[in-house]
Amino acid sequence: MASTDAPARSAWSGKWAFILAAAASAVGLGNMWRFPYLAAKYGGGTFLLTYLVLVFTLGVSLLLLETALGRLTGQSAIGAFRQFGKKYAIIGVLASIVPFIIVPYYSIIGGWVTKYTAAYVFEGPAALADGGNFFTGFITSNVESFLWMFVFMAIVFVVVARGVKGGIEKANLFMMPALIVVAVGIAAYTLTMPGALEGAAYYLVPDFSKFSPELVISALGQMFYSLSLAMGIMITYGSYLDEKSSLTQSVVRIGGFDIGVSFLAGLMIVPAAFVAMGSGDAVAAKSGPSLMFVILPEVFAQMGGASQFVGFLFFLLVLFAALTSGISLMETCVSIVQDGAKWSRKKALIAVMAFIVVAGSLVNLGYNGLSFIEPLGAGTTMLDFFDFISNSVLMPIVALLTCIFVGWVVKPKLIVREVTLSGPFKLEKAWTIMIKYVAPVLVTVILVAFVAAQFGLFKM
């Protein structure tokens, strides 16, 4: 088990501190812009229903596995796997690489959101609703884009520097309830717009004629991305958890938080964008950054006197979501360095901060000074490349290796014993089948489909 001379580990103050932190990790930019456009693209209610089923089967099964593994070993990803033999540490290494890739480019997007939140206060909605010139000018700037990236990083650094109880728990205790309240308020206001109810019906009512393999694969990918699976976060957070906290109840609640916020994000964005563009297909066609940073400001600008307030609240909401995920990603990096190097938390934090600042700056240069580098083809950036490597390649590989490791090497009974320390495990047999047989197949499908889609061999 864990070395006795290792630095003292952090711990959650209680079960709900863990649940809020894990839910905060799950709730991020993926919920705010990726989920709504996928729902619009794949028949609204049909996608919602498929996603719901996947989260509460495959999603919570993998969450349970990772959280229990972390609590069992008391280590972050590398140490957790190494305890079963040095040859298995490679799984932890691959998992640990993921957050180190994601945090720098996630901070860039977080900087975009921070800028827009401030811009609604100081520049007004009209300045942002100009067809995309504001957005393009900002992200390609040699000074301002870096400045706002550093502002976002600084907020994350301060929270993580305050530790698990003094920083992460307190931040989540404020941001998660605030996020939900603001999301409900904006969704309710959006539905009062003329024509918004038609968009809501498109979003909520299943259209089974649009059910397809592409829908299932996209829902699987979204579930993976959103629940913070296969990137070491849940192993790290599980390692801070005491044996009294029920793992089964906790992971179900985390899945519920994720679905709830995703649902509210769709209810905010799809009807509003539907009003502006007239169809779900049009919303889906404007997916990615353009939906959030170009189309939605134009929608908000049509709200008259409420446009500035609604626009500010929306981007504040997205900022909270970006921060909660950014904090959990950075905390995982700090824990990995602290456990691996046997450093103090302060020393590990400084090293991680330095890495994020340098790596984030290099990736951000892909929009200005290094824009000639197009790693995935014409029009792509270094951010696109690192997003593809982390989310479409490494995460499915890590999940596949983890399922094989638990399902066939150390055996599911090991995790089952850990789960039953804090309560009964009524679905033990179903979970075992999921980890040994179902999850490896589905994860392999995700990996093959994402790579094939990137090279034009499969359409998503």
Side-chain angles (χ1 to χ4, degrees):
M1 301 303 288
S3 171
T4 55
D5 62 352
R9 277 191 82 69
S10 303
W12 302 116
S13 61
K15 174 182 68 178
W16 277 101
F18 162 69
I19 292 171
L20 270 180
S25 174
V27 173
L29 292 171
N31 301 72
M32 292 296 140
W33 90 39
R34 196 168 185 267
F35 184 89
Y37 83 71
L38 287 175
K41 183 176 181 179
Y42 292 109
T46 309
F47 185 85
L48 281 175
L49 184 60
T50 304
Y51 187 73
L52 181 71
V53 171
L54 289 173
V55 167
F56 283 116
T57 52
L58 177 62
V60 295
S61 296
L62 293 173
L63 278 175
L64 185 64
L65 185 161
E66 293 192 14
T67 306
L69 184 62
R71 192 174 76 173
L72 171 68
T73 59
Q75 292 283 306
S76 53
I78 298 175
F81 285 100
R82 185 190 289 132
Q83 288 193 17
F84 300 96
K86 288 185 178 180
K87 61 184 177 181
Y88 301 120
I90 185 62
I91 305 174
V93 171
L94 291 174
S96 299
I97 290 171
V98 175
F100 280 95
I101 294 176
I102 292 178
V103 176
Y105 77 73
Y106 198 88
S107 297
I108 295 169
I109 304 171
W112 300 350
V113 177
T114 310
K115 163 66 177 179
Y116 268 61
T117 306
Y120 268 96
V121 176
F122 299 108
E123 300 181 57
L128 283 67
D130 64 353
N133 292 330
F134 182 93
F135 178 64
T136 302
F138 165 62
I139 67 172
T140 57
S141 67
N142 290 316
V143 176
E144 198 175 12
S145 63
F146 288 88
L147 173 64
W148 289 101
M149 176 187 72
F150 293 141
V151 169
F152 181 85
M153 286 180 179
I155 299 171
V156 172
F157 293 166
V158 168
V159 173
V160 176
R162 293 179 63 83
V164 169
K165 292 180 181 177
I168 298 171
E169 284 190 14
K170 287 185 177 180
N172 289 334
L173 191 61
F174 166 72
M175 284 193 286
M176 284 303 291
L179 187 151
I180 293 169
V181 169
V182 173
V184 170
I186 295 178
Y189 180 82
T190 297
L191 293 177
T192 65
M193 297 173 63
L197 291 180
E198 184 182 352
Y202 175 87
Y203 174 60
L204 297 173
V205 178
D207 178 3
F208 291 109
S209 67
K210 292 196 175 184
F211 187 83
S212 64
E214 292 83 0
L215 181 154
V216 175
I217 291 168
S218 295
L220 277 167
Q222 173 63 18
M223 179 208 72
F224 235 81
Y225 183 82
S226 185
L227 288 178
S228 300
L229 297 169
M231 58 177 79
I233 292 177
M234 291 306 163
I235 295 176
T236 299
Y237 276 15
S239 74
Y240 299 155
L241 194 61
D242 63 71
E243 292 183 351
K244 296 178 182 178
S245 300
S246 171
L247 292 176
T248 52
Q249 291 179 11
S250 296
V251 297
V252 168
R253 287 166 177 156
I254 294 164
F257 266 108
D258 174 71
I259 287 176
V261 174
S262 294
F263 172 80
L264 286 172
L267 203 56
M268 285 188 296
I269 293 173
V270 175
F274 199 96
V275 169
M277 292 179 276
S279 73
D281 291 337
V283 176
K286 298 292 185 179
S287 61
S290 65
L291 176 61
M292 181 175 291
F293 296 105
V294 178
I295 303 302
L296 285 180
E298 293 178 0
V299 174
F300 296 148
Q302 298 172 18
M303 294 183 177
S307 59
Q308 185 169 21
F309 183 66
V310 173
F312 168 74
L313 273 187
F314 174 79
F315 279 99
L316 181 65
L317 164 68
V318 179
L319 177 59
F320 282 167
L323 284 170
T324 56
S325 284
I327 288 164
S328 65
L329 283 161
M330 183 175 171
E331 172 62 26
T332 301
C333 293
V334 172
S335 181
I336 288 165
V337 173
Q338 184 179 0
D339 290 345
K342 299 293 187 288
W343 286 353
S344 67
R345 181 178 173 86
K346 181 178 180 181
K347 189 175 180 181
L349 176 69
I350 292 171
V352 171
M353 287 168 56
F355 170 80
I356 292 171
V357 168
V358 173
S361 299
L362 287 173
V363 176
N364 199 35
L365 282 170
Y367 286 99
N368 36 73
L370 298 178
S371 60
F372 60 88
I373 299 176
E374 300 177 321
L376 296 177
T380 64
T381 65
M382 287 192 288
L383 190 153
D384 297 320
F385 173 74
F386 288 115
D387 180 63
F388 171 70
I389 293 298
S390 57
N391 287 286
S392 300
V393 179
L394 280 178
M395 284 166 60
I397 289 174
V398 170
L400 177 61
L401 293 175
T402 302
C403 288
I404 293 172
F405 174 74
V406 171
W408 298 97
V409 179
V410 299
K411 307 299 184 185
K413 283 290 184 183
L414 181 77
I415 298 298
V416 170
R417 283 197 297 271
E418 181 65 28
V419 173
T420 53
L421 288 176
S422 51
F425 191 7
K426 297 178 181 178
L427 297 176
E428 174 190 341
K429 290 183 179 178
W431 178 83
T432 300
I433 291 171
M434 178 66 70
I435 296 302
K436 291 185 70 173
Y437 304 105
V438 180
V441 172
L442 292 178
V443 170
T444 301
V445 169
I446 294 174
L447 176 61
V448 172
F450 279 8
V451 173
Q454 181 60 51
F455 293 98
L457 303 175
F458 179 75
K459 187 176 180 181
M460 290 180 62

